[in-house]
Amino acid sequence: MAFFTARKPGAGRVRSLAALPAVVLLGTVALSACSDPGASASGASGEAQTTAARNGVVYNTSPDQQRIRAEKDDALAAKVPELIGKDGKLTIATTAGSIPLTFHATDDKTPIGVELDIAQLVADKLGLELDVQVTSWENWPLKTQSGDFEAVFSNVGVNKDRVKLFDFASYRAAYMGFEAKKSASYDIKGADDISGLKVSVGSGTNQEKILLAWNKELEGKGKAPAVLQYYSSDADTILALSSGRTDLNIAPYPSTVYRENTRDDLKVVGKVNAGWPSETLVAATTLRGNGLAPAITDALNSAIKDGSYGEVLERWGLSEEALPESKTITEESFAAAQGGATATGAAK
């Protein structure tokens, strides 16, 4: 298992805008996240250290991230549960699976991305050293339950199955994007728009759950369902799309936007909430009842207030997924949280 320990607060720039439960196995659709692990900047764009995108963002894909940093807040640090803070580290899991969310830098080993930048702000605010552990989607639920990971920052969406085992601190809107070749004329808004098309999707993911529901809807109408196609890696998926072997790919919306703005052959042709038919949010994921989620929520709200959170999202071209406020979401508060799962400027 690879790991990366970020520099301590103060080493980078400081910006001023701003009882363990038994292991329970749930279905893969319920606990899996939203993309395949293993994406890397070098695999996507050669050995370039930066990528200038058409949306005006210059993506830094080098190991030297010069992250936006925050100062320790003593009041927030005091809220960290003693068992978690005693080693001075915030040990988080990520999957390094999807640019620009979390992926490997041009050295093919250093995990970087917006998820880790947000985690860094949280660790800084709480006075902890960020310890990043790269894992697979299949492993993070069990290893978070066992205590190997204290939090997960990896585009994890909140859903009714996960809240039975984990608590959450929301920090980003959660959308899936449909992408196609630039010459395509698709406009994907619902089930009818994918009838008969070949659509690539990750197995056991939220987006697969959406497509299966849409196919059931199509079959109920007597229409041809979409043909779902599965590939072992992000690179294979995009190669199939660009070569015409698939008509569409559904993936985390930030990744589809990244490709639209850094490639000449692909474009975004649709957007759907990751919690369809309801709404959901991306959130830091912690063990249910261990007291860490509220501390992370407070750290996120401090970063939102001082502007550092907004700077991180802007750095990765994800400002439209910003939340006006982080909230702690538990099994008890889940229903109410669903009703408010809308990000400013992001709902479409």
Side-chain angles (χ1 to χ4, degrees):
M1 177 177 295
F3 69 92
F4 168 72
T5 302
R7 292 170 297 172
K8 294 181 179 179
R13 295 172 292 172
V14 177
R15 300 291 185 92
S16 57
L17 292 174
L20 183 68
V23 172
V24 179
L25 295 176
L26 299 183
T28 56
V29 170
L31 285 181
S32 295
C34 303
S35 63
D36 293 325
S40 70
S42 62
S45 56
E47 294 302 320
Q49 298 292 295
T50 60
T51 300
R54 283 182 290 275
N55 60 355
V57 178
V58 178
Y59 295 97
N60 174 11
T61 55
S62 74
D64 183 11
Q65 284 293 289
Q66 293 295 307
R67 285 189 174 127
I68 296 162
R69 303 298 298 266
E71 297 287 355
K72 177 182 177 181
D73 184 312
D74 290 334
L76 296 178
K79 297 181 179 182
V80 177
E82 184 178 357
L83 288 177
I84 293 172
K86 65 180 181 179
D87 65 351
K89 295 181 180 180
L90 179 65
T91 301
I92 73 158
T94 197
T95 57
S98 192
I99 300 173
L101 299 172
T102 169
F103 60 105
H104 286 113
T106 49
D107 63 357
D108 280 329
K109 62 182 181 181
T110 304
I112 62 175
V114 66
E115 301 288 280
L116 303 185
D117 282 12
I118 291 174
Q120 183 69 71
L121 290 180
V122 169
D124 287 350
K125 293 280 187 181
L126 298 179
L128 299 172
E129 180 182 355
L130 184 65
D131 178 16
V132 179
Q133 303 286 329
V134 177
T135 190
S136 67
W137 288 126
E138 293 77 15
N139 282 338
W140 74 255
L142 295 180
K143 289 198 171 185
T144 302
Q145 286 184 285
S146 70
D148 289 352
F149 306 141
E150 293 165 342
V152 183
F153 284 78
S154 201
N155 203 50
V156 178
V158 184
N159 66 34
K160 63 182 178 64
D161 295 297
R162 291 177 183 149
V163 294
K164 296 174 183 177
L165 300 175
F166 306 105
D167 294 336
F168 298 87
S170 60
Y171 60 83
R172 228 181 61 246
Y175 290 101
M176 297 297 166
F178 287 92
E179 57 188 333
K181 294 179 71 171
K182 187 154 286 188
S183 57
S185 58
Y186 306 121
D187 183 14
I188 309 300
K189 296 179 179 178
D192 291 344
D193 301 316
I194 67 168
S195 178
L197 299 181
K198 293 176 289 184
V199 186
S200 56
V201 63
S203 177
T205 58
N206 284 344
Q207 53 264 44
E208 183 191 39
K209 186 177 181 180
I210 293 170
L211 294 185
L212 291 173
W214 285 11
N215 270 350
K216 185 175 181 180
E217 180 181 330
L218 287 168
E219 290 167 350
K221 296 177 179 178
K223 294 185 176 182
V227 178
L228 306 191
Q229 298 189 340
Y230 301 86
Y231 296 92
S232 60
S233 70
D234 192 59
D236 289 343
T237 300
I238 299 308
L239 179 60
L241 181 64
S242 62
S243 66
R245 284 184 282 133
T246 57
D247 300 308
L248 294 169
N249 178 47
I250 181 172
Y253 183 66
S255 299
T256 63
V257 170
Y258 173 86
R259 284 188 284 270
E260 179 180 57
N261 283 289
T262 57
R263 296 175 62 113
D264 295 324
D265 57 342
L266 301 178
K267 65 179 180 181
V268 177
V269 295
K271 182 179 182 181
V272 61
N273 194 284
W276 185 95
S278 300
E279 295 184 333
T280 192
L281 296 170
V282 170
T285 308
T286 67
L287 184 65
R288 176 169 164 76
N290 73 354
L292 180 58
I296 293 177
T297 298
D298 290 343
L300 287 165
N301 281 325
S302 177
I304 290 170
K305 184 177 180 180
D306 70 23
S308 54
Y309 164 84
E311 285 192 88
V312 163
L313 293 185
E314 183 180 7
R315 180 187 186 211
W316 293 101
L318 300 179
S319 295
E320 69 175 299
E321 298 205 342
L323 298 181
E325 179 185 15
S326 173
K327 294 183 178 181
T328 300
I329 303 171
T330 65
E331 185 175 20
E332 292 75 17
S333 65
F334 176 64
Q338 275 193 305
T342 302
T344 301
K348 293 183 181 178

